[in-house]
Amino acid sequence: MIRKWLRSGLSPPIRGLSGLLLAIIIGPALGLDLFSPAIYAMSPEQTEQLRSSLGTIGVVVSPRAGKQKVLMPAKGPGGGFARGLAAGASFPVAVGFVSPVPGGTLLGILVAPFTAVAGAFYGAITAPSAGQIEAAEKEIQLAEESLRAMELERVLMDRLVALGSDNTPFSFVPLLGVEPPDLSDDAGYRGKELSGVTTVLEVRSRKAGLRGLYGINPQTSVFIELNARLIRVRDNDILLTESPSCGSEGRREYVEWAVQEGELIVDEITTCVDELAEKIIDDFFLVYPTQSP
Amino acid sequence: MRQVRFEMLLMALLAPTLLSACGGIRVVGLHPHYPPLERKTFSLFADSVKVDSLQPVLRWQRFPYPNLLHPEQVQDVTYELRIWDGTSRAANKLKYAREGLTLPKHQVEQPLEPATQYLWSVRARFKLAGNPLVTEWGMAGLTLRNETVPNPSCFRFETPPVIAPHDDPHRAHQSEE
Protein backbone atom coordinates (compact mmCIF):
# COMPACT_ATOMS: atom_id res chain seq x y z
CA MET A 1 0.00 0.00 0.00
CA ILE A 2 2.89 2.34 0.76
CA ARG A 3 4.40 1.54 -2.68
CA LYS A 4 1.03 2.33 -4.24
CA TRP A 5 0.97 5.67 -2.47
CA LEU A 6 4.49 6.37 -3.62
CA ARG A 7 3.49 5.62 -7.19
CA SER A 8 0.26 7.59 -6.96
CA GLY A 9 -0.39 10.70 -8.94
CA LEU A 10 0.79 12.95 -6.09
CA SER A 11 3.77 15.07 -7.08
CA PRO A 12 7.05 14.67 -5.14
CA PRO A 13 6.78 18.01 -3.33
CA ILE A 14 3.32 17.10 -2.05
CA ARG A 15 4.45 13.62 -0.98
CA GLY A 16 7.45 15.20 0.75
CA LEU A 17 5.32 17.80 2.52
CA SER A 18 2.75 15.22 3.56
CA GLY A 19 5.49 12.89 4.82
CA LEU A 20 7.04 15.69 6.85
CA LEU A 21 3.70 16.60 8.37
CA LEU A 22 3.06 12.96 9.29
CA ALA A 23 6.54 12.76 10.87
CA ILE A 24 5.76 15.81 12.96
CA ILE A 25 2.58 14.13 14.22
CA ILE A 26 3.86 10.55 14.64
CA GLY A 27 7.36 11.26 15.89
CA PRO A 28 6.53 12.95 19.19
CA ALA A 29 3.73 10.43 19.85
CA LEU A 30 6.28 7.62 19.55
CA GLY A 31 8.71 9.49 21.83
CA LEU A 32 11.00 10.39 18.93
CA ASP A 33 12.34 13.93 19.07
CA LEU A 34 13.15 14.61 15.46
CA PHE A 35 14.67 18.03 16.06
CA SER A 36 17.03 17.27 18.97
CA PRO A 37 20.80 17.46 19.20
CA ALA A 38 22.44 14.20 20.26
CA ILE A 39 23.51 15.65 23.62
CA TYR A 40 19.91 15.63 24.83
CA ALA A 41 19.63 11.89 24.28
CA MET A 42 22.74 11.15 26.37
CA SER A 43 22.60 10.29 30.02
CA PRO A 44 24.16 12.69 32.56
CA GLU A 45 26.85 10.06 33.23
CA GLN A 46 27.75 9.88 29.53
CA THR A 47 28.08 13.65 29.25
CA GLU A 48 30.21 13.77 32.38
CA GLN A 49 32.52 11.08 31.02
CA LEU A 50 32.80 12.84 27.67
CA ARG A 51 33.51 16.26 29.16
CA SER A 52 36.08 14.93 31.64
CA SER A 53 38.37 13.95 28.73
CA LEU A 54 38.31 17.20 26.74
CA GLY A 55 41.47 18.98 27.91
CA THR A 56 42.38 22.22 26.10
CA ILE A 57 39.89 23.07 23.39
CA GLY A 58 40.99 24.71 20.15
CA VAL A 59 38.32 26.60 18.21
CA VAL A 60 38.35 26.72 14.42
CA VAL A 61 35.68 28.29 12.20
CA SER A 62 35.73 27.61 8.48
CA PRO A 63 35.73 30.77 6.32
CA ARG A 64 33.97 28.91 3.50
CA ALA A 65 30.38 29.97 2.95
CA GLY A 66 27.74 27.26 3.01
CA LYS A 67 24.94 26.80 0.49
CA GLN A 68 22.81 29.82 -0.14
CA LYS A 69 19.08 29.11 -0.11
CA VAL A 70 16.82 32.02 -0.86
CA LEU A 71 13.09 31.57 -1.38
CA MET A 72 12.39 34.17 -4.04
CA PRO A 73 9.02 35.63 -4.89
CA ALA A 74 7.50 35.16 -8.32
CA LYS A 75 8.75 37.75 -10.79
CA GLY A 76 6.13 39.82 -12.60
CA PRO A 77 2.70 38.74 -13.89
CA GLY A 78 4.07 35.75 -15.82
CA GLY A 79 5.98 34.37 -12.87
CA GLY A 80 3.03 35.09 -10.61
CA PHE A 81 0.65 33.23 -12.89
CA ALA A 82 2.84 30.13 -12.99
CA ARG A 83 3.51 30.07 -9.27
CA GLY A 84 -0.11 30.75 -8.44
CA LEU A 85 -1.11 27.83 -10.65
CA ALA A 86 1.29 25.48 -8.85
CA ALA A 87 0.46 26.73 -5.37
CA GLY A 88 -3.28 26.66 -6.01
CA ALA A 89 -3.12 23.09 -7.30
CA SER A 90 -0.97 21.61 -4.53
CA PHE A 91 -2.48 23.17 -1.43
CA PRO A 92 -5.88 21.38 -1.27
CA VAL A 93 -4.24 18.02 -2.01
CA ALA A 94 -1.66 18.39 0.76
CA VAL A 95 -4.31 19.52 3.23
CA GLY A 96 -6.60 16.68 2.22
CA PHE A 97 -3.91 14.07 2.70
CA VAL A 98 -3.06 15.02 6.25
CA SER A 99 -6.57 15.86 7.39
CA PRO A 100 -8.38 13.34 9.63
CA VAL A 101 -11.33 13.31 7.22
CA PRO A 102 -11.47 10.02 5.28
CA GLY A 103 -11.27 10.60 1.56
CA GLY A 104 -9.63 13.97 2.13
CA THR A 105 -7.01 13.44 -0.53
CA LEU A 106 -9.59 12.48 -3.13
CA LEU A 107 -11.59 15.58 -2.31
CA GLY A 108 -8.40 17.64 -2.49
CA ILE A 109 -7.61 16.29 -5.95
CA LEU A 110 -11.12 17.12 -7.15
CA VAL A 111 -10.90 20.68 -5.84
CA ALA A 112 -7.33 21.32 -7.02
CA PRO A 113 -8.02 22.35 -10.64
CA PHE A 114 -10.37 25.11 -9.48
CA THR A 115 -7.97 26.43 -6.85
CA ALA A 116 -5.16 26.23 -9.40
CA VAL A 117 -6.96 28.53 -11.81
CA ALA A 118 -7.91 30.95 -9.05
CA GLY A 119 -4.34 30.86 -7.77
CA ALA A 120 -2.92 31.60 -11.21
CA PHE A 121 -4.94 34.79 -11.68
CA TYR A 122 -4.30 35.88 -8.11
CA GLY A 123 -0.58 35.31 -8.64
CA ALA A 124 -0.50 37.35 -11.85
CA ILE A 125 -2.02 40.34 -10.06
CA THR A 126 -0.16 40.19 -6.77
CA ALA A 127 3.38 39.14 -7.71
CA PRO A 128 5.99 41.90 -7.43
CA SER A 129 7.21 43.33 -10.74
CA ALA A 130 10.46 42.13 -12.29
CA GLY A 131 11.92 45.60 -11.78
CA GLN A 132 11.17 45.52 -8.05
CA ILE A 133 12.78 42.10 -7.67
CA GLU A 134 15.89 43.10 -9.60
CA ALA A 135 16.31 46.27 -7.53
CA ALA A 136 15.90 44.24 -4.34
CA GLU A 137 18.48 41.71 -5.52
CA LYS A 138 21.04 44.50 -5.95
CA GLU A 139 20.38 45.77 -2.40
CA ILE A 140 20.71 42.29 -0.98
CA GLN A 141 24.02 41.82 -2.80
CA LEU A 142 25.23 44.94 -0.95
CA ALA A 143 24.16 43.30 2.31
CA GLU A 144 26.20 40.22 1.38
CA GLU A 145 29.24 42.41 0.76
CA SER A 146 28.78 44.10 4.15
CA LEU A 147 28.58 40.72 5.85
CA ARG A 148 31.71 39.50 4.06
CA ALA A 149 33.60 42.61 5.16
CA MET A 150 32.61 41.93 8.78
CA GLU A 151 34.54 38.61 8.73
CA LEU A 152 31.84 36.91 10.73
CA GLU A 153 33.82 33.68 10.99
CA ARG A 154 36.38 35.56 13.09
CA VAL A 155 33.62 37.20 15.14
CA LEU A 156 32.10 33.75 15.80
CA MET A 157 35.46 32.27 16.75
CA ASP A 158 36.19 35.07 19.21
CA ARG A 159 32.71 34.76 20.70
CA LEU A 160 33.06 31.00 21.17
CA VAL A 161 36.42 31.44 22.90
CA ALA A 162 35.10 34.22 25.16
CA LEU A 163 31.88 32.38 26.12
CA GLY A 164 33.69 29.11 26.63
CA SER A 165 36.40 30.67 28.79
CA ASP A 166 33.97 32.75 30.88
CA ASN A 167 31.27 30.15 31.49
CA THR A 168 32.89 26.71 31.50
CA PRO A 169 35.77 25.15 33.43
CA PHE A 170 37.61 24.39 30.16
CA SER A 171 40.46 26.26 28.51
CA PHE A 172 39.62 27.60 25.04
CA VAL A 173 42.13 28.86 22.48
CA PRO A 174 41.53 30.24 18.97
CA LEU A 175 43.27 28.22 16.27
CA LEU A 176 44.21 31.08 13.97
CA GLY A 177 45.51 30.12 10.57
CA VAL A 178 44.26 26.52 10.90
CA GLU A 179 41.95 25.43 8.08
CA PRO A 180 39.40 22.72 8.78
CA PRO A 181 40.36 19.62 6.77
CA ASP A 182 38.09 18.15 4.11
CA LEU A 183 35.38 16.01 5.65
CA SER A 184 36.72 13.02 3.73
CA ASP A 185 40.22 13.47 5.19
CA ASP A 186 40.80 10.61 7.67
CA ALA A 187 43.81 12.30 9.23
CA GLY A 188 41.69 15.17 10.48
CA TYR A 189 43.71 17.44 12.79
CA ARG A 190 46.50 14.95 13.45
CA GLY A 191 49.85 16.28 12.34
CA LYS A 192 48.74 19.92 12.50
CA GLU A 193 50.56 22.31 14.82
CA LEU A 194 47.94 22.90 17.52
CA SER A 195 49.95 24.11 20.54
CA GLY A 196 48.84 21.57 23.12
CA VAL A 197 45.19 21.41 22.05
CA THR A 198 43.66 18.01 22.72
CA THR A 199 40.14 18.63 21.38
CA VAL A 200 39.01 20.77 18.46
CA LEU A 201 35.68 22.58 18.31
CA GLU A 202 35.16 22.94 14.58
CA VAL A 203 32.36 25.03 13.09
CA ARG A 204 31.35 25.22 9.44
CA SER A 205 28.52 27.02 7.69
CA ARG A 206 25.98 24.62 6.14
CA LYS A 207 23.45 26.97 4.63
CA ALA A 208 22.00 30.42 4.99
CA GLY A 209 19.44 32.62 3.31
CA LEU A 210 15.73 33.30 3.38
CA ARG A 211 13.24 30.53 4.15
CA GLY A 212 9.48 30.30 4.31
CA LEU A 213 6.44 28.63 2.83
CA TYR A 214 6.33 28.48 -0.96
CA GLY A 215 3.98 31.09 -2.37
CA ILE A 216 3.58 33.91 -4.84
CA ASN A 217 5.24 36.54 -2.67
CA PRO A 218 6.22 34.56 0.41
CA GLN A 219 6.88 35.92 3.87
CA THR A 220 10.38 34.70 4.64
CA SER A 221 12.73 34.72 7.58
CA VAL A 222 16.51 34.96 7.63
CA PHE A 223 18.24 31.77 8.72
CA ILE A 224 21.70 30.32 9.24
CA GLU A 225 22.50 26.67 9.81
CA LEU A 226 25.93 25.58 11.03
CA ASN A 227 27.63 22.28 11.55
CA ALA A 228 29.60 22.02 14.80
CA ARG A 229 31.82 19.08 15.73
CA LEU A 230 33.89 18.24 18.77
CA ILE A 231 36.89 16.20 17.60
CA ARG A 232 39.53 14.44 19.68
CA VAL A 233 42.84 15.25 18.00
CA ARG A 234 44.87 12.11 18.79
CA ASP A 235 42.57 9.67 17.00
CA ASN A 236 40.29 12.03 15.01
CA ASP A 237 37.29 10.63 16.90
CA ILE A 238 34.17 12.77 16.56
CA LEU A 239 32.87 13.10 20.11
CA LEU A 240 29.80 15.20 19.34
CA THR A 241 28.22 16.71 16.27
CA GLU A 242 25.36 19.13 16.02
CA SER A 243 23.64 21.28 13.41
CA PRO A 244 22.39 24.32 15.29
CA SER A 245 20.34 26.83 13.40
CA CYS A 246 19.11 30.33 13.99
CA GLY A 247 16.15 32.01 12.32
CA SER A 248 14.52 35.37 12.67
CA GLU A 249 11.03 35.35 14.13
CA GLY A 250 10.32 38.41 12.01
CA ARG A 251 8.99 37.54 8.55
CA ARG A 252 9.03 39.89 5.61
CA GLU A 253 8.59 39.89 1.87
CA TYR A 254 11.74 39.81 -0.24
CA VAL A 255 11.60 43.49 -1.20
CA GLU A 256 11.14 44.46 2.47
CA TRP A 257 14.32 42.60 3.45
CA ALA A 258 16.17 44.56 0.76
CA VAL A 259 15.37 48.03 2.15
CA GLN A 260 18.42 50.24 2.88
CA GLU A 261 21.00 47.83 1.45
CA GLY A 262 19.54 44.88 3.31
CA GLU A 263 20.18 46.45 6.70
CA LEU A 264 17.63 44.16 8.37
CA ILE A 265 19.38 41.08 7.00
CA VAL A 266 22.72 42.29 8.33
CA ASP A 267 21.14 42.90 11.78
CA GLU A 268 19.57 39.44 11.86
CA ILE A 269 22.74 37.65 10.80
CA THR A 270 24.92 39.43 13.37
CA THR A 271 22.38 38.65 16.11
CA CYS A 272 22.33 35.03 14.95
CA VAL A 273 26.13 34.75 15.22
CA ASP A 274 25.91 35.64 18.94
CA GLU A 275 23.00 33.26 19.53
CA LEU A 276 24.68 30.39 17.71
CA ALA A 277 27.90 30.83 19.69
CA GLU A 278 25.90 30.67 22.90
CA LYS A 279 24.01 27.56 21.75
CA ILE A 280 27.16 25.68 20.78
CA ILE A 281 28.87 26.40 24.11
CA ASP A 282 25.69 25.53 26.03
CA ASP A 283 24.99 22.26 24.22
CA PHE A 284 28.55 20.94 24.05
CA PHE A 285 29.91 22.03 27.43
CA LEU A 286 27.17 23.08 29.86
CA VAL A 287 23.81 21.41 29.31
CA TYR A 288 22.87 18.76 31.87
CA PRO A 289 20.55 16.44 29.92
CA THR A 290 17.85 15.50 32.34
CA GLN A 291 14.09 15.96 32.25
CA SER A 292 11.51 16.59 34.87
CA PRO A 293 9.18 13.62 35.48
CA MET B 1 -12.44 2.51 -3.66
CA ARG B 2 -9.02 0.97 -2.99
CA GLN B 3 -7.59 4.43 -2.37
CA VAL B 4 -10.42 5.24 0.05
CA ARG B 5 -9.80 1.97 1.94
CA PHE B 6 -6.08 2.76 2.14
CA GLU B 7 -6.83 6.19 3.55
CA MET B 8 -9.23 4.76 6.11
CA LEU B 9 -6.54 2.29 7.26
CA LEU B 10 -4.00 5.09 7.48
CA MET B 11 -6.41 7.19 9.51
CA ALA B 12 -7.09 4.26 11.83
CA LEU B 13 -3.35 3.91 12.43
CA LEU B 14 -2.92 7.64 12.91
CA ALA B 15 -5.96 8.10 15.17
CA PRO B 16 -4.09 7.19 18.39
CA THR B 17 -1.29 9.59 17.54
CA LEU B 18 -3.70 12.32 16.58
CA LEU B 19 -5.60 11.81 19.81
CA SER B 20 -2.36 12.04 21.76
CA ALA B 21 -1.64 15.26 19.91
CA CYS B 22 -4.87 16.55 21.38
CA GLY B 23 -3.70 15.69 24.89
CA GLY B 24 -1.03 17.22 27.11
CA ILE B 25 1.58 19.57 25.72
CA ARG B 26 5.18 18.34 25.71
CA VAL B 27 7.65 20.45 27.72
CA VAL B 28 11.44 20.33 27.95
CA GLY B 29 13.44 22.19 30.55
CA LEU B 30 11.70 23.91 33.48
CA HIS B 31 7.89 23.82 33.32
CA PRO B 32 6.15 27.20 33.39
CA HIS B 33 3.52 27.65 36.12
CA TYR B 34 2.36 31.17 35.32
CA PRO B 35 1.30 31.93 32.75
CA PRO B 36 0.15 28.33 32.26
CA LEU B 37 0.57 26.47 29.00
CA GLU B 38 -2.36 26.28 26.62
CA ARG B 39 -2.55 24.89 23.14
CA LYS B 40 -5.26 24.63 20.49
CA THR B 41 -5.98 21.17 19.10
CA PHE B 42 -3.50 20.22 16.34
CA SER B 43 -1.44 23.30 17.02
CA LEU B 44 2.31 22.63 17.01
CA PHE B 45 3.23 25.27 19.59
CA ALA B 46 1.83 26.78 22.74
CA ASP B 47 -0.78 29.55 22.53
CA SER B 48 -0.23 33.06 23.75
CA VAL B 49 -1.91 33.21 27.17
CA LYS B 50 -3.22 36.55 28.39
CA VAL B 51 -1.56 37.79 31.57
CA ASP B 52 -3.15 40.22 34.01
CA SER B 53 -0.53 42.95 34.10
CA LEU B 54 2.10 44.79 32.09
CA GLN B 55 4.50 43.63 34.79
CA PRO B 56 3.43 40.02 35.23
CA VAL B 57 4.83 37.75 37.91
CA LEU B 58 6.23 34.80 35.99
CA ARG B 59 6.52 31.52 37.88
CA TRP B 60 8.15 28.24 36.94
CA GLN B 61 9.21 24.84 38.24
CA ARG B 62 11.83 24.75 40.96
CA PHE B 63 15.19 23.06 40.27
CA PRO B 64 16.55 20.44 41.08
CA TYR B 65 13.96 18.05 39.66
CA PRO B 66 12.71 15.43 42.12
CA ASN B 67 14.04 12.59 39.93
CA LEU B 68 17.62 13.90 39.76
CA LEU B 69 20.15 11.20 40.61
CA HIS B 70 22.13 13.13 43.26
CA PRO B 71 20.09 16.20 44.22
CA GLU B 72 22.20 16.65 47.37
CA GLN B 73 25.22 17.46 45.16
CA VAL B 74 23.40 20.35 43.42
CA GLN B 75 24.58 23.74 44.65
CA ASP B 76 24.27 27.43 43.84
CA VAL B 77 21.03 27.17 41.86
CA THR B 78 20.00 30.37 40.12
CA TYR B 79 17.61 31.04 37.27
CA GLU B 80 18.02 32.94 34.04
CA LEU B 81 14.93 34.50 32.45
CA ARG B 82 14.55 36.02 28.99
CA ILE B 83 11.59 37.68 27.30
CA TRP B 84 11.50 38.49 23.59
CA ASP B 85 9.08 40.43 21.43
CA GLY B 86 6.85 37.82 19.79
CA THR B 87 5.20 39.93 17.14
CA SER B 88 5.92 38.69 13.65
CA ARG B 89 7.58 41.88 12.47
CA ALA B 90 9.79 42.58 15.45
CA ALA B 91 12.45 40.02 14.64
CA ASN B 92 12.70 38.44 18.13
CA LYS B 93 14.24 41.40 19.84
CA LEU B 94 15.32 40.65 23.38
CA LYS B 95 13.12 42.83 25.55
CA TYR B 96 14.01 41.74 29.05
CA ALA B 97 16.65 39.53 30.67
CA ARG B 98 17.59 38.69 34.22
CA GLU B 99 20.06 36.21 35.59
CA GLY B 100 21.10 35.20 39.06
CA LEU B 101 17.48 34.91 40.24
CA THR B 102 17.33 32.80 43.37
CA LEU B 103 13.58 32.03 43.41
CA PRO B 104 11.48 30.26 40.76
CA LYS B 105 9.44 33.40 40.17
CA HIS B 106 10.04 36.95 39.06
CA GLN B 107 7.99 40.10 38.58
CA VAL B 108 9.00 41.94 35.44
CA GLU B 109 10.55 45.15 36.75
CA GLN B 110 9.59 47.52 33.96
CA PRO B 111 6.22 47.70 32.18
CA LEU B 112 6.01 45.77 28.95
CA GLU B 113 4.17 47.08 25.91
CA PRO B 114 0.38 46.67 26.17
CA ALA B 115 -1.54 44.29 23.87
CA THR B 116 1.67 42.64 22.73
CA GLN B 117 2.65 39.01 22.38
CA TYR B 118 5.88 37.90 23.96
CA LEU B 119 8.01 34.78 23.88
CA TRP B 120 9.74 33.80 27.09
CA SER B 121 11.91 31.08 28.51
CA VAL B 122 13.81 30.22 31.64
CA ARG B 123 16.63 27.88 32.65
CA ALA B 124 18.54 26.99 35.79
CA ARG B 125 22.27 27.48 36.31
CA PHE B 126 23.81 25.33 39.03
CA LYS B 127 26.87 23.45 40.12
CA LEU B 128 27.08 19.68 40.39
CA ALA B 129 30.11 18.35 42.25
CA GLY B 130 31.65 21.78 41.67
CA ASN B 131 31.11 21.83 37.87
CA PRO B 132 29.02 24.66 36.37
CA LEU B 133 26.04 23.36 34.39
CA VAL B 134 22.73 24.56 32.97
CA THR B 135 19.36 23.01 32.19
CA GLU B 136 18.15 23.54 28.67
CA TRP B 137 15.93 26.51 27.86
CA GLY B 138 12.28 25.72 28.54
CA MET B 139 10.21 24.97 25.44
CA ALA B 140 6.80 23.48 24.73
CA GLY B 141 4.96 21.68 21.94
CA LEU B 142 7.10 20.70 18.96
CA THR B 143 10.37 21.49 20.71
CA LEU B 144 12.89 22.93 18.28
CA ARG B 145 15.95 22.02 20.31
CA ASN B 146 18.23 22.40 17.28
CA GLU B 147 17.35 26.08 17.10
CA THR B 148 18.66 28.95 19.16
CA VAL B 149 16.27 30.77 21.44
CA PRO B 150 14.01 32.48 20.82
CA ASN B 151 12.17 30.13 18.50
CA PRO B 152 8.49 29.24 18.02
CA SER B 153 8.57 26.60 20.78
CA CYS B 154 9.35 29.08 23.55
CA PHE B 155 6.56 29.83 26.03
CA ARG B 156 4.19 32.67 25.15
CA PHE B 157 2.03 35.30 26.77
CA GLU B 158 0.12 38.40 25.76
CA THR B 159 -0.08 41.58 27.80
CA PRO B 160 -3.40 43.29 28.44
CA PRO B 161 -4.43 46.46 26.62
CA VAL B 162 -3.62 49.79 28.30
CA ILE B 163 -5.37 49.93 31.64
CA ALA B 164 -5.99 52.89 33.93
CA PRO B 165 -3.65 53.02 36.95
CA HIS B 166 -6.45 52.41 39.44
CA ASP B 167 -7.41 49.22 37.56
CA ASP B 168 -3.89 47.77 37.70
CA PRO B 169 -3.93 45.08 40.40
CA HIS B 170 -0.17 45.34 40.91
CA ARG B 171 -0.18 49.09 41.37
CA ALA B 172 -3.05 48.78 43.86
CA HIS B 173 -1.02 46.21 45.81
CA GLN B 174 2.07 48.45 45.81
CA SER B 175 0.11 51.50 47.02
CA GLU B 176 -1.29 49.43 49.90
CA GLU B 177 2.25 48.60 50.95
Side-chain angles (χ1 to χ4, degrees):
Chain A
M1 280 186 203
I2 302 291
R3 265 195 295 241
K4 200 172 174 183
W5 174 66
L6 287 171
R7 287 193 209 129
S8 72
L10 299 175
S11 67
I14 295 170
R15 287 205 298 272
L17 175 63
S18 308
L20 179 63
L21 288 170
L22 286 173
I24 287 170
I25 294 168
I26 293 173
L30 295 174
L32 300 173
D33 198 338
L34 300 175
F35 303 98
S36 235
I39 188 81
Y40 294 113
M42 294 171 74
S43 70
E45 293 76 25
Q46 285 173 313
T47 54
E48 198 179 313
Q49 192 179 13
L50 186 147
R51 288 169 180 163
S52 65
S53 66
L54 293 179
T56 300
I57 297 163
V59 180
V60 61
V61 178
S62 172
R64 281 173 243 163
K67 285 186 205 164
Q68 199 186 59
K69 290 205 154 210
V70 176
L71 181 60
M72 298 285 292
K75 222 188 237 191
F81 187 92
R83 193 172 294 197
L85 192 72
S90 60
F91 182 72
V93 179
V95 169
F97 186 79
V98 297
S99 86
V101 175
T105 308
L106 190 59
L107 182 64
I109 290 169
L110 292 173
V111 168
F114 302 99
T115 56
V117 169
F121 283 105
Y122 179 75
I125 296 163
T126 57
S129 69
Q132 280 179 302
I133 302 295
E134 280 152 23
E137 279 174 318
K138 288 194 175 107
E139 295 288 294
I140 287 179
Q141 267 167 8
L142 292 172
E144 285 174 22
E145 283 166 22
S146 298
L147 288 168
R148 256 194 292 275
M150 289 165 82
E151 292 185 358
L152 289 176
E153 64 279 2
R154 182 61 197 266
V155 172
L156 177 59
M157 178 194 281
D158 290 344
R159 195 83 185 106
L160 287 165
V161 170
L163 283 172
S165 302
D166 291 347
N167 295 292
T168 77
F170 305 105
S171 176
F172 284 76
V173 296
L175 291 177
L176 299 167
V178 174
E179 274 270 344
D182 285 339
L183 292 169
S184 55
D185 183 353
D186 288 335
Y189 290 92
R190 284 174 290 192
K192 288 187 190 281
E193 180 48 57
L194 297 180
S195 306
V197 161
T198 47
T199 310
V200 170
L201 172 59
E202 174 200 89
V203 181
R204 300 169 191 256
S205 172
R206 283 190 71 185
K207 41 187 162 172
L210 296 173
R211 67 182 177 190
L213 287 178
Y214 184 79
I216 295 155
N217 191 10
Q219 296 273 323
T220 53
S221 55
V222 173
F223 82 100
I224 305 177
E225 191 178 308
L226 302 178
N227 179 251
R229 304 193 301 169
L230 206 56
I231 303 165
R232 187 164 52 211
V233 174
R234 68 174 156 79
D235 56 8
N236 203 33
D237 192 21
I238 299 173
L239 303 172
L240 274 176
T241 184
E242 186 176 313
S243 295
S245 67
C246 174
S248 63
E249 273 292 294
R251 289 193 185 87
R252 291 176 171 82
E253 293 173 0
Y254 185 76
V255 294
E256 290 173 307
W257 282 118
V259 165
Q260 287 185 329
E261 297 179 4
E263 184 184 53
L264 292 168
I265 294 179
V266 174
D267 282 348
E268 289 291 350
I269 298 277
T270 47
T271 303
C272 268
V273 167
D274 270 349
E275 290 177 7
L276 285 163
E278 190 183 73
K279 177 143 183 77
I280 291 169
I281 296 297
D282 282 346
D283 282 356
F284 280 12
F285 306 105
L286 288 172
V287 156
Y288 187 74
T290 181
Q291 288 306 317
S292 175
Chain B
M1 280 306 293
R2 280 189 194 165
Q3 184 168 358
V4 172
R5 278 209 297 273
F6 169 66
E7 287 187 355
M8 288 177 73
L9 177 62
L10 196 57
M11 286 304 130
L13 289 170
L14 281 178
T17 58
L18 289 170
L19 284 170
S20 72
C22 303
I25 185 168
R26 181 165 181 256
V27 177
V28 295
L30 299 172
H31 288 230
H33 290 166
Y34 184 82
L37 285 175
E38 289 177 11
R39 186 186 64 155
K40 291 189 185 63
T41 309
F42 301 119
S43 174
L44 292 175
F45 306 113
D47 285 346
S48 238
V49 175
K50 286 187 168 47
V51 293
D52 55 6
S53 168
L54 300 180
Q55 293 178 251
V57 178
L58 304 178
R59 288 185 280 111
W60 54 86
Q61 181 184 19
R62 185 179 289 276
F63 188 82
Y65 305 132
N67 65 335
L68 209 64
L69 210 53
H70 297 290
E72 71 283 358
Q73 292 183 7
V74 171
Q75 293 172 311
D76 301 340
V77 178
T78 60
Y79 302 97
E80 191 176 345
L81 169 70
R82 291 186 191 172
I83 301 175
W84 301 270
D85 195 313
T87 54
S88 65
R89 317 268 315 163
N92 35 288
K93 295 290 179 219
L94 180 66
K95 285 296 189 186
Y96 187 88
R98 289 292 183 271
E99 51 184 55
L101 304 174
T102 53
L103 295 174
K105 63 176 181 179
H106 177 74
Q107 179 171 21
V108 177
E109 288 162 7
Q110 61 234 26
L112 298 170
E113 292 296 315
T116 302
Q117 294 191 357
Y118 289 92
L119 298 166
W120 71 283
S121 190
V122 64
R123 66 176 177 180
R125 281 187 183 273
F126 59 100
K127 285 191 179 158
L128 188 66
N131 293 319
L133 294 165
V134 297
T135 61
E136 59 181 305
W137 285 105
M139 292 187 223
L142 180 68
T143 51
L144 301 174
R145 290 155 111 180
N146 255 345
E147 293 214 8
T148 60
V149 288
N151 66 56
S153 29
C154 290
F155 311 136
R156 297 162 188 260
F157 66 83
E158 184 175 340
T159 47
V162 176
I163 49 179
H166 64 268
D167 289 334
D168 185 342
H170 289 282
R171 271 206 170 198
H173 178 69
Q174 282 166 2
S175 63
E176 280 169 19
E177 286 175 346

